[in-house]
Amino acid sequence: MPSTSKIVKGPLAVEASRTSRPEIVATVAEVIADVRQNGDAAVRRWSQKFDEWSPESFQLSPDQVASVVSSVPETVLDDLRFVQRQVRGFAQAQRDSLNDFEVETLPGVYLGQRNIPIGAAGAYVPGGRYPLTASAHMTVLTAKVAGVGRVAATTPPDRGTPPPVSIAAMHLAGADEIYVMGGVQAVAALALGTETIAAVDMLAGPGNAYVAEAKRQLFGEVGIDLFAGPTEVLIVADETADPLVVATDLLSQAEHGPDSPAVLITTSQEVATRTIAYVEELLPGLSTGEIAGRAWQDRGEVIVVPGLDAAYELADAYASEHVQILTAEPREALHRMRNYGALFLGDKTCVAYGDKVIGTNHVLPTLGAARYTGGLWVGKYLKTVTYQEIQNATSSAELGEICGRASRIENFEGHARSGDVRSARYGSARPAWTDHAFGRA
């Protein structure tokens, strides 16, 4: 942080840990081990314990899905369809940008790249206090646009019943299988497979601390989208920013949970002071004010910096999940910043649009992971693989000689001989060891 910066409001809580609490690690490990050993019986036991939910089948039949969807008001279904058109359109543009190709690098030497969809994906759609129906669009629909043949989606029960809007969102997004089960047992069942649930190749979707830890422990046996932490927002503002807009947008993300960081970096002392005043004024009238208030108290920060150069530099150091730019020239951030999950430019745009309606994916890196990765996108569901073919004998012989020398530098004699065989078969090289192999005296 520049020495001339001023911390107007700092966080009261210590920085969020990037590792799970020991009790969460232990509980998750116990559930995963049980599901691995006992399959469906374990899923049912833990579902009953955590959710008081033990239906005859965790998977909804087509008739059950149709019945649940029919209970959702048509206006809600229309809104879901609208949002999914936005998500599908952007995801399809991403897919169209990924091309297979083949190049000839030497005479008769062909190298190629293919983008192959994974075979099966699991999509976790959170429920409980915040049933994130938008996560169905982001995980299920994006996977289907990528070409994934089987998408198994799951969401927790809502007070003993399937949550209608979440089920509708998963169905409209194209889920091939829909399960009503939540928590670690759901993630473990999809990752490991049971007697009635086939294992998937990748898990995607946000969840609570237990779901996040389950994905961490299962990573390697199955692919995952991201290691997720609490939702984050960071706003860069200059003197042109409206403090009411700034305060509203900070609280819109703070309501995700009491550990959600909400940070303002501004070049204006007035914007800083008035934003804090507006936050305090808005909190009592916000239905989620208790949660947002704790987040603001414990994780909220307001920092005044000497200029936009310092603002962008500091914002990059945070590497926040969501970064809003509320300045006179917001597009400057496209060229000045590099560490963010998603960038929201100008006061006509907001993070809530990205979360709910605009079409970009809202499964994004947190806890500084934006330094090295972006968020969930079509490419996460694709395996970018290569192939090689040499049709020209002279090129194979030339590469064989170089391979032999390069391998022996590293003391890999077996590798060297793979090259030698071809340099001898297709060229004039005669390594000593090949005399016997080729029947020469």
Side-chain angles (χ1 to χ4, degrees):
M1 183 181 301
S3 58
T4 52
S5 298
K6 178 183 177 183
I7 299 176
V8 181
K9 181 194 180 305
L12 294 184
V14 298
E15 182 180 357
S17 172
R18 301 192 183 194
T19 59
S20 298
R21 300 194 306 272
E23 64 272 22
I24 293 178
V25 173
T27 298
V28 169
E30 181 183 4
V31 175
I32 290 175
D34 195 8
V35 173
R36 188 190 304 277
Q37 179 71 30
N38 299 303
D40 287 333
V43 173
R44 187 168 300 281
R45 181 164 50 252
W46 291 105
S47 180
Q48 180 61 41
K49 177 177 180 179
F50 292 138
D51 294 328
E52 297 182 354
W53 175 248
S54 182
E56 182 177 340
S57 171
F58 288 101
Q59 182 178 357
L60 297 183
S61 68
D63 287 344
Q64 288 175 310
V65 171
S67 176
V68 172
V69 173
S70 69
S71 73
V72 178
E74 192 61 35
T75 54
V76 175
L77 295 177
D78 286 343
D79 287 343
L80 291 175
R81 293 185 184 104
F82 172 85
V83 174
Q84 290 190 356
R85 285 197 297 272
Q86 314 316 305
V87 175
R88 182 180 292 106
F90 190 74
Q92 188 62 56
Q94 289 182 321
R95 182 65 185 91
D96 292 343
S97 74
L98 299 170
N99 298 311
D100 296 355
F101 67 85
E102 182 175 279
V103 294
E104 187 176 10
T105 58
L106 292 169
V109 177
Y110 298 97
L111 308 182
Q113 175 175 295
R114 297 182 63 209
N115 295 287
I116 302 174
I118 62 173
Y124 189 87
V125 178
R129 184 175 63 201
Y130 298 122
L132 298 182
T133 56
S135 291
H137 322 325
M138 307 304 176
T139 55
V140 177
L141 199 154
T142 304
K144 297 307 291 185
V145 171
V148 177
R150 171 181 168 244
V151 178
T154 188
T155 192
D158 179 17
R159 288 165 292 190
T161 61
V165 178
S166 294
I167 300 301
M170 292 188 288
H171 171 67
L172 294 175
D176 300 288
E177 301 164 15
I178 295 178
Y179 296 88
V180 180
M181 56 182 182
V184 179
Q185 63 273 16
V187 173
L190 289 174
L192 303 174
T194 70
E195 299 93 324
T196 61
I197 301 171
V200 299
D201 303 310
M202 175 180 163
L203 293 168
N208 62 18
Y210 289 88
V211 169
E213 175 58 23
K215 289 166 66 178
R216 184 190 302 274
Q217 291 189 23
L218 290 162
F219 178 57
E221 290 187 78
V222 68
I224 66 170
D225 50 357
L226 295 165
F227 293 119
T231 293
E232 305 163 349
V233 63
L234 183 149
I235 296 178
V236 174
D238 63 11
E239 71 283 354
T240 68
D242 182 340
L244 175 60
V245 171
V246 176
T248 301
D249 290 349
L250 288 171
L251 291 179
S252 77
Q253 296 302 297
E255 73 177 358
H256 272 278
D259 50 359
S260 288
V263 179
L264 168 62
I265 300 173
T266 179
T267 59
S268 168
Q269 178 65 51
E270 181 181 4
V271 169
T273 302
R274 291 182 62 200
T275 294
I276 292 173
Y278 271 123
V279 167
E280 299 303 325
E281 183 179 332
L282 292 170
L283 273 171
L286 187 65
S287 61
T288 53
E290 181 179 353
I291 294 166
R294 283 182 56 196
W296 177 248
Q297 172 184 287
D298 291 348
R299 304 288 182 187
E301 299 181 58
V302 177
I303 303 166
V304 177
V305 294
L308 283 176
D309 286 345
Y312 291 134
E313 181 180 355
L314 183 56
D316 257 352
Y318 274 84
S320 183
E321 177 186 17
H322 306 103
V323 176
Q324 279 189 254
I325 307 297
L326 301 178
T327 64
E329 299 292 339
R331 276 188 166 260
E332 286 185 356
L334 286 173
H335 311 290
R336 304 290 292 278
M337 289 191 64
R338 61 188 302 123
N339 297 336
Y340 50 84
L343 203 58
F344 300 82
L345 303 175
D347 63 3
K348 297 181 183 67
T349 317
C350 62
V351 176
Y353 285 0
D355 281 347
K356 306 301 180 186
V357 297
I358 206 167
T360 49
N361 206 293
H362 77 190
V363 181
L364 298 166
T366 59
L367 298 173
R371 292 176 294 109
Y372 59 83
T373 188
L376 182 61
W377 69 298
V378 160
K380 287 278 189 178
Y381 293 101
L382 300 171
K383 300 176 291 182
T384 301
V385 297
T386 60
Y387 63 89
Q388 307 82 35
E389 181 182 18
I390 301 176
Q391 298 178 359
N392 181 282
T394 301
S395 291
S396 182
E398 178 184 354
L399 289 171
E401 289 190 51
I402 297 171
C403 179
R405 294 195 297 269
S407 298
R408 289 186 173 97
I409 291 172
E410 299 175 347
N411 297 320
F412 276 96
E413 182 61 24
H415 285 65
R417 292 188 178 195
S418 281
D420 291 347
V421 166
R422 288 157 179 84
S423 66
R425 182 180 295 276
Y426 300 116
S428 59
R430 291 296 181 265
W433 75 270
T434 64
D435 288 345
H436 175 72
F438 282 86
R440 289 189 292 266

